[in-house]
Amino acid sequence: MMQPGGLGDAQHVTVDIQKICDTMKSKAEQRTCKKYGVFVAKLYKVQVVAGTNYFIKVHVGGDDYVHICVLQTLPRQGQGPEFVSIKEHMKKDDEILPF
């Protein structure tokens, strides 16, 4: 069992994770001042905090990847996923780490 605050193992993307990515694409583009023709989640890790942080490896075209962090607050807070941060210039084999 994962410790609260610990980062879980990399997992294959589910439909729900891709949906989260789809909703975060415009926020990622705003933060990086770029337009992504491709924005496909490849792997993700989960960190349980006061809610859940999703660290998602996203293919953005060619050999380029970004890692995004998305916070899903606890259900009682009634909010959808929130864009937290992005790491640019990542590659396919780069490990997903908290940032």
Side-chain angles (χ1 to χ4, degrees), residues 2 8-14 42-46 54 96:
M2 184 173 51
D9 294 331
Q11 301 177 54
H12 293 286
V13 172
T14 64
K42 294 297 184 180
L43 290 172
Y44 74 102
K45 290 184 178 181
V46 173
Y54 294 98
I96 302 169

Side-chain angles (χ1 to χ4, degrees), residues 21-37:
C21 265
D22 293 344
T23 63
M24 297 297 136
K25 181 181 178 197
S26 64
K27 292 180 182 354
E29 290 175 337
Q30 286 173 355
R31 189 73 59 94
T32 61
C33 297
K34 295 179 181 173
K35 288 287 184 192
Y36 299 116

